[in-house]
Amino acid sequence: MKLTKKSHSCVRLEKDGRVLVLDPGGFSEQDAAAGADAILVTHEHADHFDEGRLRAAMEANPAAGIWTLKSVADQLSAAFPGRVHTVGHGDTFTAAGFDVQVHGELHAVIHPDIPRITNVGYLVDGGSVFHPGDALTVPDHPVETLMLPVMAPWSKISEVIDYVREVAPQRAYDIHDALLTDLARPIYDRQIGALGGAEHLRLAPGSSAEV
């Protein structure tokens, strides 16, 4: 399949003429969800979930659907009856021709004083791609391509490195990188690449790779 990196945590997957978009949030391009046949959202934070982007995509394609957790589905289901599907850990479904497994339940800890919200990750096509959202979830299935949350208020680089080691993918592509400055990128590239144990890659927004 073709993987296109959009800004921050948004990823676009294309296969057999169908398009699956994950996490077209407020830090992503305004048209990040445009042309989607199916949209997956990992959690309710604004950098992953932008209601306006989702509504525009759903209105442009009457056959499009959304799969997400309850906190997001509740905000959209009334506007799109039968097209917004609530999922949770352990669920499996097919969206736009992609087979998807749901892994994980909670957002990573930002601070002990901040209540944790729900977060799910999506394993696509039997492990071809795994997008964990905002958590270091390890699926009980081999992963070929890990979408790696490389920099966030809830993580440090040692945790990112250990996460790559534990998932043990063939390759890891950076996501959750909108807050990472260009000056810092070589540090992350060098340390994750040297210590993670997997090929560490980065795509500029709008760039694509075959996975």
Side-chain angles (χ1 to χ4, degrees):
M1 73 182 75
K2 179 181 178 182
L3 182 154
T4 301
K5 170 74 164 64
K6 308 298 281 186
S7 293
H8 198 50
S9 282
C10 183
V11 176
R12 182 184 183 95
L13 302 177
E14 298 176 60
K15 182 184 70 173
D16 300 331
R18 310 289 299 281
V19 176
L20 176 69
V21 175
L22 298 96
D23 277 5
F27 289 1
S28 303
E29 294 80 0
Q30 191 65 41
D31 63 350
D37 297 295
I39 302 168
L40 311 183
V41 179
T42 63
H43 65 289
E44 65 197 77
H45 284 161
D47 55 326
H48 297 257
F49 164 53
D50 181 89
E51 186 173 345
R53 286 165 170 77
L54 297 189
R55 285 180 176 271
M58 294 286 278
E59 289 165 359
N61 180 4
I66 294 173
W67 284 259
T68 186
L69 37 69
K70 186 177 185 300
S71 59
V72 173
D74 285 350
Q75 300 181 55
L76 296 165
S77 56
F80 305 101
R83 299 171 61 193
V84 181
H85 311 278
T86 301
V87 298
H89 176 71
D91 288 343
T92 60
F93 58 91
T94 300
F98 295 84
D99 294 325
V100 183
Q101 300 175 17
V102 184
H103 293 266
E105 298 180 273
L106 290 173
H107 192 287
V109 175
I110 301 171
H111 186 275
D113 290 352
I114 300 175
R116 296 174 74 181
I117 63 168
T118 309
N119 176 95
V120 294
Y122 297 106
L123 187 74
V124 180
D125 278 359
S128 293
V129 174
F130 181 60
H131 189 308
D134 275 11
L136 301 181
T137 301
V138 179
D140 57 354
H141 195 288
V143 174
E144 294 178 16
T145 300
L146 173 66
M147 307 312 301
L148 178 66
V150 70
M151 192 274 186
W154 44 265
S155 73
K156 56 185 179 181
I157 196 168
S158 64
E159 296 170 337
V160 175
I161 291 167
D162 286 345
Y163 181 54
V164 177
R165 289 180 175 181
E166 191 169 2
V167 176
Q170 294 180 21
R171 66 193 70 87
Y173 280 100
D174 286 354
I175 57 169
H176 213 287
D177 56 355
L179 301 180
L180 186 62
T181 70
D182 288 341
L183 285 173
R185 288 189 184 276
I187 298 172
Y188 278 73
D189 291 344
R190 183 171 62 253
Q191 294 187 354
I192 297 171
L195 299 174
E199 184 180 17
H200 177 240
L201 303 162
R202 178 160 41 87
L203 289 171
S207 298
S208 302
E210 294 294 325
V211 297

